[in-house]
Amino acid sequence: MPIPAANLYPPFNITRLSHVEYGVTDLAASRTFYVDILGLQVTHEDDSRIYLRAMEERGHHCIILRQSDHAGVACLGFKLYDTPDLEKAAAFFEGKSLPVEWIERPFMGPSLRTRDPWGVPLEFYVKMDRLPPIHQQYRLYNGVKPLRIDHFNMFSANVDAAVAFYGEMGFRVTEYTEDDDSGRVWAAWMHRKGGVHDVAFTNGTGPRLHHTAFWVPTPLNIIDLLDLMSTTGYVANIERGPGRHGISNAFFLYVRDPDGHRIEIYCSDYQTCDADLEPIKWSLTDPQRQTLWGAPAPRSWFEEGSLFDGAETRDSDLKAQPIIAP
Amino acid sequence: MPIPAANLYPPFNITRLSHVEYGVTDLAASRTFYVDILGLQVTHEDDSRIYLRAMEERGHHCIILRQSDHAGVACLGFKLYDTPDLEKAAAFFEGKSLPVEWIERPFMGPSLRTRDPWGVPLEFYVKMDRLPPIHQQYRLYNGVKPLRIDHFNMFSANVDAAVAFYGEMGFRVTEYTEDDDSGRVWAAWMHRKGGVHDVAFTNGTGPRLHHTAFWVPTPLNIIDLLDLMSTTGYVANIERGPGRHGISNAFFLYVRDPDGHRIEIYCSDYQTCDADLEPIKWSLTDPQRQTLWGAPAPRSWFEEGSLFDGAETRDSDLKAQPIIAP
Amino acid sequence: MPIPAANLYPPFNITRLSHVEYGVTDLAASRTFYVDILGLQVTHEDDSRIYLRAMEERGHHCIILRQSDHAGVACLGFKLYDTPDLEKAAAFFEGKSLPVEWIERPFMGPSLRTRDPWGVPLEFYVKMDRLPPIHQQYRLYNGVKPLRIDHFNMFSANVDAAVAFYGEMGFRVTEYTEDDDSGRVWAAWMHRKGGVHDVAFTNGTGPRLHHTAFWVPTPLNIIDLLDLMSTTGYVANIERGPGRHGISNAFFLYVRDPDGHRIEIYCSDYQTCDADLEPIKWSLTDPQRQTLWGAPAPRSWFEEGSLFDGAETRDSDLKAQPIIAP
Amino acid sequence: MPIPAANLYPPFNITRLSHVEYGVTDLAASRTFYVDILGLQVTHEDDSRIYLRAMEERGHHCIILRQSDHAGVACLGFKLYDTPDLEKAAAFFEGKSLPVEWIERPFMGPSLRTRDPWGVPLEFYVKMDRLPPIHQQYRLYNGVKPLRIDHFNMFSANVDAAVAFYGEMGFRVTEYTEDDDSGRVWAAWMHRKGGVHDVAFTNGTGPRLHHTAFWVPTPLNIIDLLDLMSTTGYVANIERGPGRHGISNAFFLYVRDPDGHRIEIYCSDYQTCDADLEPIKWSLTDPQRQTLWGAPAPRSWFEEGSLFDGAETRDSDLKAQPIIAP
């Protein structure tokens, strides 16, 4: 299926991805990982939840860690442009017969909870509590110096259909991988905020969250994180990288949190705000697609992901084979 | 005057700054500077003009160098979102009794030429010839490895009024400097594309172009440029920096091209796409405003700028005094 | 066998490793690799030889590429402190019944050619033609910006014996790997010039040259090389890395030249000039020994190396098994 | 006076500079600066003294901070190669009618205290308590990530004579500045350990300590320190830089501790171990001598320094004028 043309006039205006809520089985261990190792800042915590923000963010949180009996993802949050967009979003999802619910969320104004057609729990809002800027409080920088949440990447059992649905909402494809044999889309990267992506879909058993990514200042910060993790007991949490992506051209590292949730550390992609940006197409058989430097990803990277609460997974019928490290 | 609230529904949709045309008095000397030293890529050249693009750009050009008998700025170009925005832009400027002209521009689709109320020549378009991506052609990276044009900064004899006018067009203030005594705005930074600014205004004799800025991957690239310039005969072209800005938090360097046009090399500012982003206010007397590390800018930085063709300058009546290096 | 105590009063004074001569089968292809990709500077070339130096070196050459019908290593060169050291070196090798020959070498003063007990061809000299400094000619920096030759690493069929012999010459052990089962030394790193090593020995079929290493300014330069190699047709020449070594703590990358000669790009090790520096011992079974970040080296890294002209290899009888990537 | 030829066979063997003892007037304030801001590690502390080491050092300390009623420098320490060098050092200084005293120093073996001909208190030793390596304890890295002490730079009222004396001890000149008018040496950089310098002398009222320098991994670490200092109340402690030196080619920053003692943060100089290294000569009137990028040093940099306990200063009779920032 061809990549749909960008929808320049979506039914409601999504500014950017905003936050993710992870169920974690050991809140203290997760706190250590996200705060002491990655360097996110605690904005609120109690016995069951920790709210975190990154260094240049002024919204109250980009990650919520919630003590749970199982690891999972409660929702992916997106910030809308302005108040009228809330009702428009509700109308869009109701028009698709998707569940729509108005909820109260701590530190946030009115929020809409819904699911995409495959069950991914989505949350939309306009107002989140604002905090003072800390981007120049250099004493606070720690770990990998995470600056902001950058994107979500999801396993999808039907990437073509996911691209079509999210495309209706105004996400625009910047790069994609095509399976030469079937002509179907293996993976796609889609943005709202002007970088390579806010969301991405990768063929596989889905829906599952493949990873959440954070933007950092330079590749040297990623090297610092590797040095830190490998000498503080987290060497087993290093999954893939560092390296330079073919797709996106970003410098990356993938790590796994104490529950196995995958986090990507990411920098140096490119500006995509032009409405007429032409998506870059890659072939699934291109060995430089995932890592420009050639090293294939490990099997775990292709197979493991985080389950969304309340969303049953389904296998993909697209059986093409990516290049996997032995 | 207070900073106006962001206009979330401007009359037409400007995606981003796009390009600048400089009149230069020695095209060959300018070519050497922009291509061999800064590292921009030539996309077209003839006896009188050189078109250049930066490494991640796919639009045909971000700078036009035009052989001229005098140094000046012919226009500042901005890319619009979609075709209907052209007519809307024309209507906006006509409604302000500002001159509107449809022009043919090489390598570009229909273009609108106009002036802001102070005479700054502006150019708006939707389509520019697209070129193949070169961001992964690492053999081509040279000089400071410029990735994209980032912003324009203009001297303005009435920053409050400039902020109001550009604010009507949808530019949103991210940071500004207030003169405590008068309560007037000394300088303001305004964006469309989600970084700290696409345009900025600094109090002074205006309108004049203070500088055009390029985004680079890391501060080490700026250090590389300083090493290169200082050992290839361009040490006198280094004007100010390197340093960390207070305003914007970006790492910067200011250099002067062979005609004295000022170019800023810039990286590491922050994401501003949230509609409810609160502008950060600075006091004119804050010594860390311009350089977080304290070093004041030289007098030339406050006084020298490039003239816009066809725009007479006027002195500002705001006589507050910034901190100037001795 | 225990690591011998440092010989603080060796029979002659070796300042540092100096140069290597590689037989290469396609001089033009090698020239492209070492000059255009790595960034070494040509100091002399003719139909059969190319002499290269790195950016902060003032000796005439650190690498000689010699057109040959087979790939091999003609010699490893070492610079001696002062003229009397030449005769002392000759006496040392003669005293060991090792072959000693005075030879004329282009661009060099009197040179002693000999072999270590395993046949490695060694060359010692005091004077090499001196060239003007180019370390501040920033226009010349290219590729990975190699600053100087840093070390040689050799496969040895008897590392304990190699350590003893080179130890007599004054090389001091900074780090070593012990095979817990046998108590024998699997690998050792030995220095003269105050870094982690000038020479190193790794258990395996030997003698063969495992690699020659170059020092670069920062890890970002190594990332630049990876980006360049992977987009100019050299992705297959990337063998291992980038990464942080456990041993030496250096940031590294291993690449293979067109003949398969292995080159390491290396930075950030530590100062070792203290006579009482205690060697750091690692266990062969420590998964962080080779890469602090855990990724094991590929089989090729353990098995492939360059033959020394005129030196027959012998298998090692030390059959311990390092950790090899699948 | 010409630069003396290198003394390749000095009367005793100095391995490297080792440590400095500073008298400080507020031990707690100094602790905050050296530990929390610069990132040095405390190895011992009590009510009156704090011993610090840098991240790759295994000797017990490189700095001693001693509570005092006045700011000053108690001694500059140097490590000798081997035990016999202690007696040889004593004989050398006694032969010059300079005071020689054997002293007990905490955490050190037998130590020789003496003074150079101008009264600079020098300390020589062979053994210092050794500590476990911490260079791979990445959790401990902080501040500017100082790796090791790199050099001392002293004001001297007679640089020619200082160069001659230290040259007798085996320090070898790598770079120097000549005053064209008088032919005298304005400044000189001299090494033992193979970098650009262990000691340097700068014309001025002397003897006074101009600065102590620390080596860091990359220029980005220096930028990190500037960001940290400027946002934690230390912006006034930033004296000069960052920049690229002409002399040494190192990337540098000069800061002042709470007592005004000057500390240089330094990286990326070059290897100098060759006995026949030719000193690089600079002219005092070369504007790129001190900063390759052209920016002159402030007056304070030329005039202010730390007094050595018990050493009276004398003005220099060399009245040439360096280039000073207005």
Side-chain angles (χ1 to χ4, degrees):
Chain A
M1 281 178 59
I3 289 290
N7 179 4
L8 300 187
Y9 302 97
F12 61 102
N13 189 342
I14 299 170
T15 296
R16 60 176 176 90
L17 92 163
S18 168
H19 58 276
V20 53
E21 179 176 322
Y22 283 115
V24 297
T25 58
D26 182 342
L27 195 59
S30 297
R31 188 192 200 283
T32 299
F33 182 77
Y34 285 93
V35 176
D36 298 344
I37 299 298
L38 293 192
L40 289 163
Q41 303 290 312
V42 175
T43 56
H44 182 90
E45 61 184 321
D46 56 42
D47 290 344
S48 59
R49 284 175 173 73
I50 299 174
Y51 292 78
L52 303 168
R53 67 155 158 170
M55 299 308 295
E56 67 178 51
E57 293 175 335
R58 297 183 218 166
H60 184 270
H61 54 271
C62 62
I63 283 193
I64 305 168
L65 305 175
R66 190 192 79 255
Q67 177 68 48
S68 171
D69 60 0
H70 70 279
V73 184
C75 71
L76 302 182
F78 293 83
K79 184 174 168 76
L80 300 180
Y81 188 63
D82 194 19
T83 307
D85 291 299
L86 270 170
E87 286 293 344
K88 295 178 189 177
F92 174 80
F93 284 94
E94 283 163 348
K96 303 266 179 190
S97 302
L98 292 164
V100 162
E101 185 188 359
W102 295 100
I103 56 174
E104 293 289 321
R105 291 285 268 160
F107 311 108
M108 294 172 62
S111 302
L112 173 72
R113 181 63 75 87
T114 182
R115 290 185 184 268
D116 78 5
W118 301 279
V120 176
L122 306 173
E123 192 167 280
F124 295 96
Y125 73 96
V126 178
K127 297 293 180 191
M128 177 185 275
D129 286 3
R130 305 292 287 180
L131 297 173
I134 53 170
H135 62 286
Q136 288 185 324
Q137 288 199 33
Y138 281 97
R139 178 85 276 182
L140 299 180
Y141 281 83
N142 191 25
V144 75
K145 302 191 181 179
L147 297 178
R148 55 184 185 258
I149 190 169
D150 189 81
H151 62 265
F152 300 127
N153 188 313
M154 292 175 258
F155 281 110
S156 167
N158 189 337
V159 175
D160 291 283
V163 167
F165 182 79
Y166 283 78
E168 281 194 66
M169 288 198 281
F171 289 89
R172 307 204 291 256
V173 176
T174 57
E175 306 209 23
Y176 66 106
T177 302
E178 193 174 84
D179 168 42
D180 303 322
D181 297 336
S182 64
R184 286 177 59 185
V185 179
W186 176 268
W189 287 257
M190 308 181 76
H191 89 93
R192 285 298 299 161
K193 68 185 179 315
V196 168
H197 51 322
D198 286 72
V199 296
F201 301 95
T202 303
N203 183 69
T205 300
R208 290 178 297 155
L209 180 64
H210 190 276
H211 63 267
T212 296
F214 290 91
W215 181 277
V216 296
T218 79
L220 282 190
N221 302 108
I222 290 177
I223 291 167
D224 286 347
L225 179 65
L226 284 155
D227 289 335
L228 180 65
M229 287 181 70
S230 60
T231 57
T232 50
Y234 290 92
V235 68
N237 298 64
I238 299 168
E239 184 189 32
R240 174 188 167 201
R244 169 84 62 197
H245 277 315
I247 291 170
S248 80
N249 198 41
F251 190 81
F252 72 89
L253 171 71
Y254 293 95
V255 299
R256 305 293 286 273
D257 85 355
D259 284 284
H261 296 305
R262 183 180 292 105
I263 298 293
E264 180 182 17
I265 309 297
Y266 181 93
C267 62
S268 314
D269 73 1
Y270 56 86
Q271 182 177 271
T272 64
C273 51
D274 289 3
D276 56 349
L277 187 83
E278 322 86 333
I280 296 175
K281 179 170 88 167
W282 295 77
S283 163
L284 187 59
T285 57
D286 184 342
Q288 290 188 282
R289 179 179 71 92
Q290 290 202 304
T291 310
L292 199 65
W293 306 340
R299 183 163 291 278
S300 64
W301 195 90
F302 288 99
E303 297 184 347
E304 296 173 11
S306 301
L307 293 170
F308 289 108
D309 293 343
E312 282 192 38
T313 61
R314 184 166 68 77
D315 290 342
S316 167
D317 64 333
L318 179 51
K319 298 301 182 190
Q321 189 66 349
I323 304 164
I324 300 177
Chain B
M1 279 178 61
I3 289 291
N7 179 5
L8 300 187
Y9 301 97
F12 61 102
N13 189 341
I14 299 170
T15 297
R16 61 176 176 89
L17 91 162
S18 168
H19 59 274
V20 53
E21 180 176 322
Y22 282 116
V24 297
T25 58
D26 182 342
L27 195 60
S30 297
R31 188 192 199 283
T32 299
F33 182 77
Y34 284 94
V35 177
D36 297 345
I37 300 297
L38 294 191
L40 289 163
Q41 303 291 312
V42 175
T43 56
H44 181 90
E45 60 185 320
D46 57 40
D47 289 345
S48 60
R49 284 176 173 73
I50 300 174
Y51 292 79
L52 303 169
R53 68 155 157 169
M55 300 308 296
E56 67 178 52
E57 294 175 335
R58 297 183 219 167
H60 185 270
H61 53 272
C62 62
I63 282 196
I64 306 168
L65 304 174
R66 189 192 79 255
Q67 177 68 50
S68 172
D69 59 2
H70 70 279
V73 184
C75 71
L76 303 182
F78 293 83
K79 183 174 167 76
L80 300 180
Y81 188 63
D82 194 20
T83 306
D85 291 299
L86 269 170
E87 286 292 345
K88 295 178 190 176
F92 174 81
F93 285 94
E94 284 163 347
K96 302 265 178 190
S97 301
L98 292 164
V100 163
E101 186 189 357
W102 295 99
I103 57 176
E104 293 288 322
R105 294 283 270 159
F107 310 108
M108 294 172 63
S111 303
L112 174 72
R113 182 62 75 86
T114 182
R115 289 185 186 268
D116 77 5
W118 302 278
V120 176
L122 306 174
E123 192 167 280
F124 296 95
Y125 72 96
V126 178
K127 296 292 179 194
M128 177 186 275
D129 286 3
R130 305 294 286 182
L131 297 173
I134 53 170
H135 62 286
Q136 288 184 325
Q137 287 198 33
Y138 281 97
R139 179 84 277 179
L140 298 180
Y141 281 83
N142 191 24
V144 76
K145 301 190 182 180
L147 298 178
R148 56 185 184 256
I149 190 169
D150 189 80
H151 61 266
F152 300 127
N153 188 313
M154 293 175 258
F155 281 110
S156 167
N158 188 338
V159 176
D160 291 282
V163 168
F165 181 79
Y166 283 78
E168 281 194 66
M169 287 197 282
F171 290 89
R172 307 205 290 256
V173 177
T174 57
E175 306 208 24
Y176 66 104
T177 301
E178 194 174 84
D179 168 43
D180 303 323
D181 295 337
S182 64
R184 286 177 60 186
V185 179
W186 176 268
W189 287 256
M190 309 179 78
H191 89 93
R192 285 298 299 162
K193 69 187 181 311
V196 168
H197 51 324
D198 286 71
V199 297
F201 301 95
T202 302
N203 183 67
T205 300
R208 290 178 297 156
L209 180 65
H210 190 275
H211 64 265
T212 296
F214 290 91
W215 181 278
V216 297
T218 78
L220 282 191
N221 301 108
I222 289 177
I223 291 167
D224 286 346
L225 178 66
L226 283 155
D227 289 335
L228 180 65
M229 287 181 69
S230 60
T231 57
T232 51
Y234 289 92
V235 68
N237 298 65
I238 298 167
E239 185 188 31
R240 174 188 167 201
R244 169 84 62 197
H245 278 314
I247 290 169
S248 80
N249 199 41
F251 190 82
F252 72 88
L253 172 70
Y254 293 95
V255 299
R256 305 293 287 273
D257 86 354
D259 283 285
H261 297 305
R262 182 180 293 105
I263 299 292
E264 181 181 17
I265 310 297
Y266 181 92
C267 61
S268 314
D269 73 1
Y270 57 86
Q271 182 178 272
T272 63
C273 51
D274 289 4
D276 56 348
L277 187 84
E278 322 85 334
I280 295 175
K281 180 170 87 168
W282 295 77
S283 164
L284 188 59
T285 56
D286 184 342
Q288 289 187 283
R289 179 179 71 93
Q290 289 203 304
T291 310
L292 198 66
W293 307 340
R299 182 163 293 278
S300 64
W301 195 90
F302 288 100
E303 297 184 348
E304 297 173 10
S306 301
L307 293 170
F308 289 108
D309 294 342
E312 281 192 40
T313 62
R314 186 167 66 79
D315 290 342
S316 166
D317 64 333
L318 178 51
K319 299 300 182 189
Q321 189 66 350
I323 304 164
I324 300 177
Chain C
M1 279 179 58
I3 288 292
N7 179 4
L8 300 188
Y9 302 97
F12 62 102
N13 189 340
I14 299 169
T15 296
R16 60 177 176 91
L17 92 163
S18 169
H19 59 274
V20 54
E21 180 176 322
Y22 282 116
V24 297
T25 58
D26 182 342
L27 194 59
S30 298
R31 187 192 199 284
T32 299
F33 182 77
Y34 285 94
V35 176
D36 297 344
I37 299 298
L38 293 190
L40 291 163
Q41 303 291 311
V42 175
T43 56
H44 182 91
E45 61 184 319
D46 57 41
D47 289 344
S48 60
R49 284 176 174 74
I50 300 174
Y51 292 79
L52 302 168
R53 69 154 156 169
M55 300 308 295
E56 66 178 53
E57 293 176 335
R58 297 184 218 167
H60 185 270
H61 53 271
C62 61
I63 282 195
I64 305 168
L65 304 174
R66 190 192 78 256
Q67 177 67 50
S68 171
D69 60 2
H70 71 278
V73 184
C75 71
L76 303 182
F78 293 83
K79 183 175 168 76
L80 300 179
Y81 188 63
D82 194 20
T83 305
D85 292 299
L86 269 171
E87 286 294 344
K88 295 178 188 176
F92 173 81
F93 285 95
E94 284 163 349
K96 303 267 178 188
S97 301
L98 292 163
V100 162
E101 186 189 357
W102 296 100
I103 56 175
E104 294 287 322
R105 293 284 268 160
F107 311 109
M108 292 172 65
S111 301
L112 173 72
R113 182 61 76 86
T114 182
R115 288 185 185 268
D116 77 6
W118 301 279
V120 176
L122 306 174
E123 191 167 280
F124 296 96
Y125 73 95
V126 178
K127 296 293 180 192
M128 178 186 274
D129 286 3
R130 304 294 287 182
L131 298 173
I134 53 169
H135 61 286
Q136 287 184 326
Q137 287 199 34
Y138 281 97
R139 178 83 278 180
L140 298 180
Y141 281 82
N142 191 27
V144 75
K145 302 190 182 178
L147 297 178
R148 57 186 185 255
I149 190 168
D150 189 81
H151 63 265
F152 300 127
N153 188 314
M154 292 175 258
F155 280 111
S156 167
N158 189 337
V159 175
D160 291 282
V163 168
F165 182 79
Y166 282 80
E168 282 194 67
M169 288 197 280
F171 289 89
R172 307 204 290 256
V173 176
T174 56
E175 306 209 25
Y176 66 105
T177 300
E178 194 174 84
D179 168 43
D180 303 322
D181 295 337
S182 64
R184 287 177 60 185
V185 179
W186 175 268
W189 286 256
M190 308 180 78
H191 88 93
R192 286 297 299 161
K193 69 187 180 313
V196 168
H197 51 322
D198 286 71
V199 296
F201 302 94
T202 303
N203 183 69
T205 301
R208 290 178 297 155
L209 180 65
H210 189 276
H211 63 267
T212 296
F214 289 92
W215 181 278
V216 296
T218 78
L220 281 190
N221 301 108
I222 290 177
I223 291 167
D224 286 346
L225 179 66
L226 284 155
D227 289 335
L228 180 65
M229 288 181 69
S230 59
T231 56
T232 51
Y234 289 92
V235 68
N237 297 65
I238 299 167
E239 185 187 32
R240 174 189 167 201
R244 169 83 63 197
H245 278 315
I247 290 170
S248 80
N249 198 40
F251 190 81
F252 73 89
L253 171 70
Y254 293 94
V255 299
R256 306 293 286 273
D257 86 355
D259 284 284
H261 297 306
R262 183 179 292 106
I263 299 293
E264 181 181 17
I265 310 298
Y266 181 93
C267 61
S268 314
D269 72 2
Y270 56 88
Q271 183 176 269
T272 64
C273 50
D274 290 4
D276 55 349
L277 187 84
E278 323 85 334
I280 295 174
K281 181 170 88 170
W282 295 76
S283 163
L284 187 60
T285 56
D286 184 341
Q288 290 186 282
R289 178 180 72 92
Q290 290 203 305
T291 309
L292 198 67
W293 306 340
R299 182 164 291 279
S300 63
W301 196 90
F302 288 99
E303 297 185 348
E304 296 174 10
S306 301
L307 294 170
F308 289 108
D309 293 342
E312 282 190 41
T313 61
R314 185 166 67 81
D315 290 343
S316 166
D317 64 334
L318 178 52
K319 298 300 182 190
Q321 189 66 348
I323 304 164
I324 300 177
Chain D
M1 277 178 62
I3 289 291
N7 180 4
L8 299 188
Y9 302 96
F12 61 103
N13 189 340
I14 299 170
T15 296
R16 60 176 176 90
L17 91 163
S18 169
H19 58 276
V20 53
E21 179 176 321
Y22 283 116
V24 297
T25 57
D26 181 342
L27 194 60
S30 298
R31 187 191 200 284
T32 299
F33 182 77
Y34 284 94
V35 177
D36 296 345
I37 298 298
L38 293 191
L40 290 164
Q41 303 290 313
V42 175
T43 56
H44 182 89
E45 60 183 321
D46 58 42
D47 290 345
S48 61
R49 283 176 175 75
I50 299 174
Y51 292 78
L52 303 168
R53 68 155 157 171
M55 299 308 294
E56 67 177 53
E57 294 176 334
R58 297 184 218 167
H60 185 269
H61 53 271
C62 62
I63 283 194
I64 305 168
L65 304 174
R66 190 193 78 256
Q67 178 67 48
S68 172
D69 60 1
H70 72 277
V73 184
C75 72
L76 303 182
F78 293 84
K79 183 175 169 76
L80 301 179
Y81 187 63
D82 193 19
T83 306
D85 291 299
L86 269 170
E87 286 293 344
K88 295 178 188 177
F92 174 79
F93 285 94
E94 283 162 350
K96 302 265 178 191
S97 303
L98 291 165
V100 163
E101 185 188 359
W102 295 100
I103 56 175
E104 293 289 321
R105 292 285 269 160
F107 311 107
M108 293 171 64
S111 302
L112 173 72
R113 181 62 76 87
T114 183
R115 288 185 186 270
D116 77 6
W118 301 280
V120 176
L122 306 173
E123 191 167 280
F124 296 95
Y125 72 95
V126 178
K127 295 294 180 192
M128 178 186 275
D129 286 3
R130 305 294 285 182
L131 297 173
I134 52 169
H135 62 285
Q136 287 184 327
Q137 286 199 34
Y138 281 97
R139 178 85 278 181
L140 299 180
Y141 281 83
N142 191 25
V144 76
K145 302 190 181 179
L147 297 179
R148 56 185 184 257
I149 190 169
D150 189 80
H151 62 265
F152 300 127
N153 188 313
M154 292 175 259
F155 280 110
S156 167
N158 189 338
V159 176
D160 290 282
V163 168
F165 181 79
Y166 282 79
E168 282 193 66
M169 287 198 281
F171 290 90
R172 308 205 290 256
V173 176
T174 57
E175 306 209 24
Y176 66 106
T177 301
E178 194 174 84
D179 168 43
D180 303 323
D181 295 339
S182 65
R184 287 176 61 185
V185 179
W186 175 268
W189 286 257
M190 309 180 77
H191 89 93
R192 286 297 299 161
K193 69 186 180 312
V196 168
H197 51 323
D198 286 72
V199 296
F201 301 95
T202 303
N203 183 69
T205 301
R208 289 179 298 155
L209 180 65
H210 189 275
H211 63 266
T212 296
F214 289 92
W215 181 277
V216 296
T218 78
L220 281 190
N221 302 107
I222 289 177
I223 291 166
D224 286 346
L225 178 65
L226 284 155
D227 288 336
L228 180 66
M229 287 181 70
S230 59
T231 56
T232 50
Y234 289 92
V235 67
N237 298 66
I238 299 168
E239 185 188 31
R240 174 187 168 202
R244 169 82 63 197
H245 277 315
I247 290 171
S248 80
N249 197 43
F251 190 82
F252 73 88
L253 171 71
Y254 294 94
V255 300
R256 306 293 286 274
D257 86 356
D259 283 283
H261 297 306
R262 182 180 292 106
I263 299 293
E264 182 181 16
I265 310 297
Y266 181 92
C267 62
S268 313
D269 73 1
Y270 56 87
Q271 182 178 272
T272 65
C273 50
D274 290 4
D276 55 350
L277 187 83
E278 321 86 334
I280 296 175
K281 180 169 87 169
W282 295 77
S283 163
L284 187 59
T285 57
D286 184 343
Q288 291 187 281
R289 178 180 73 93
Q290 289 203 304
T291 310
L292 199 66
W293 305 341
R299 183 163 292 278
S300 64
W301 196 90
F302 288 99
E303 297 184 348
E304 296 174 12
S306 302
L307 294 170
F308 289 107
D309 294 341
E312 282 192 38
T313 62
R314 186 166 68 79
D315 289 343
S316 166
D317 65 333
L318 178 52
K319 299 300 182 192
Q321 189 65 351
I323 304 163
I324 299 176

